[in-house]
Amino acid sequence: MYICPMYSSELIKGTLRTIVLNLLKENGRMYGYEITQRVKELTDDKIQITEGALYPLLHALEASEDLETEVEFIGKRQRKYYRLTKQGKQTSKKKIDELREFIETLQILLDANKGTSHGLIN
Amino acid sequence: MYICPMYSSELIKGTLRTIVLNLLKENGRMYGYEITQRVKELTDDKIQITEGALYPLLHALEASEDLETEVEFIGKRQRKYYRLTKQGKQTSKKKIDELREFIETLQILLDANKGTSHGLIN
DNA sequence: ATGAATACATAAGTTTCTTATGTATATTTG
DNA sequence: CAAATATACATAAGAAACTTATGTATTCAT
């Protein structure tokens, strides 16, 4: 029994694809479950990717030829590794750049009007 | 005829509510159309809130008692001003803090593994 | 041997936008 | 002064991207 102190996860919408592409870019190849655990670990449990979100996304990225797969067996249990295709590397770069820009824009919005007569000291 | 160099706007999903609450926090009171224009202006046209997204959101925030309204008339044309209620100020603060934290977490994710043997120099 | 962790998958439902449409007033421009 | 654009509201249908629930199966820990 554990509590989940996550973000009201509407925020994750729209960023998940980029997060996954970025992880694959940095790590070469990963399998689904590994991705969920890595994100959980890197974000100190603050972002937890659900499997219901991840697997369909991976399938879609494979269908669009941004990812390719190879299946391996650990004992009798299958693991499906994903890696970026050449096209996927471009997509990845584009998405990551876009996300960084978006974050900058957000920060402008969040900081707008700070320090004017309105919002003085809180 | 104009081109719209916007973000692949899946990114906006989830942040719109917070953006609106933040603007109202900083500006006291605003009306719908004003909000769309302010965001457009502040983000140098990079984020454009559609009316189909904004008005239902404002109505929902009013229904949840985070916002209250007062209608004014400019000539014969009506303007509906929105302002944060006391509860809305708390909601606003919570959402903004959450978004800032989320951005930090995202940056950790985007920068993970940078500077290791994998990703050297690009 | 029982529960938890690992590892995949899909389906139904919800939220949250986009796109399209509608109404009406005010201003600019040719 | 007519027509286009801008201002100002609103709602409905559809799409996208999740969550929640469920299912199967293997492996590890107690």
Side-chain angles (χ1 to χ4, degrees):
Chain A
M1 192 189 52
Y2 42 88
I3 305 153
C4 177
M6 253 202 307
Y7 298 115
S8 85
S9 47
E10 71 209 15
L11 288 176
I12 281 120
K13 278 186 192 182
T15 61
L16 182 56
R17 171 182 256 94
T18 308
I19 289 172
V20 169
L21 288 171
N22 183 61
L23 273 181
L24 286 167
K25 186 185 164 209
E26 302 298 334
N27 291 281
R29 66 167 206 173
M30 301 178 81
Y31 55 98
Y33 187 77
E34 186 185 11
I35 293 174
T36 66
Q37 297 308 301
R38 184 66 62 87
V39 169
K40 190 161 128 71
E41 171 198 322
L42 283 172
T43 64
D44 202 24
D45 289 19
K46 278 177 280 189
I47 296 180
Q48 296 193 26
I49 298 180
T50 61
E51 295 175 297
L54 181 63
Y55 290 116
L57 172 60
L58 289 173
H59 300 161
L61 286 170
E62 189 184 3
S64 66
E65 296 186 328
D66 288 304
L67 298 183
E68 60 192 8
T69 64
E70 46 190 312
V71 175
E72 280 186 20
F73 280 85
I74 309 300
K76 283 179 183 173
R77 192 158 54 191
Q78 102 169 0
R79 241 180 223 179
K80 205 161 159 188
Y81 278 97
Y82 290 86
R83 73 166 69 249
L84 293 173
T85 60
K86 190 172 289 188
Q87 176 195 299
K89 284 176 193 172
Q90 295 178 350
T91 304
S92 159
K93 182 172 169 23
K94 214 167 57 184
K95 284 284 177 187
I96 293 166
D97 288 347
E98 186 179 75
L99 180 53
R100 286 189 194 279
E101 257 190 72
F102 182 69
I103 288 174
E104 273 181 56
T105 304
L106 269 186
Q107 276 165 337
I108 290 169
L109 275 178
L110 290 182
D111 295 339
N113 292 16
K114 281 293 165 55
T116 67
S117 51
H118 319 294
L120 275 176
I121 310 161
N122 212 336
Chain B
M1 193 190 52
Y2 43 86
I3 304 153
C4 177
M6 251 199 312
Y7 298 113
S8 86
S9 47
E10 70 209 16
L11 288 176
I12 281 122
K13 277 188 193 182
T15 61
L16 182 56
R17 171 182 258 94
T18 307
I19 289 171
V20 168
L21 289 171
N22 184 61
L23 273 181
L24 286 167
K25 186 187 164 206
E26 302 297 335
N27 291 282
R29 66 168 208 172
M30 300 178 83
Y31 54 99
Y33 186 76
E34 186 186 10
I35 292 174
T36 65
Q37 298 308 301
R38 184 66 62 85
V39 169
K40 191 161 128 74
E41 172 198 321
L42 283 171
T43 65
D44 201 23
D45 289 20
K46 279 177 281 189
I47 296 180
Q48 295 192 27
I49 298 180
T50 61
E51 295 175 297
L54 181 64
Y55 289 117
L57 172 60
L58 289 174
H59 300 161
L61 287 171
E62 189 184 2
S64 66
E65 297 187 326
D66 288 304
L67 299 184
E68 60 193 7
T69 64
E70 47 190 310
V71 176
E72 280 186 20
F73 280 85
I74 310 299
K76 284 180 183 172
R77 192 159 56 192
Q78 104 169 358
R79 238 179 225 179
K80 205 161 158 187
Y81 278 96
Y82 290 87
R83 72 167 69 248
L84 293 172
T85 61
K86 189 173 288 189
Q87 177 194 300
K89 284 176 193 172
Q90 295 178 351
T91 303
S92 158
K93 181 170 169 26
K94 213 167 59 186
K95 284 282 178 188
I96 293 165
D97 288 347
E98 185 179 75
L99 180 52
R100 286 188 194 279
E101 255 190 74
F102 181 69
I103 288 173
E104 273 181 57
T105 304
L106 268 185
Q107 276 166 338
I108 290 170
L109 276 179
L110 289 182
D111 294 338
N113 292 16
K114 282 291 164 56
T116 67
S117 51
H118 320 293
L120 275 178
I121 309 161
N122 211 337

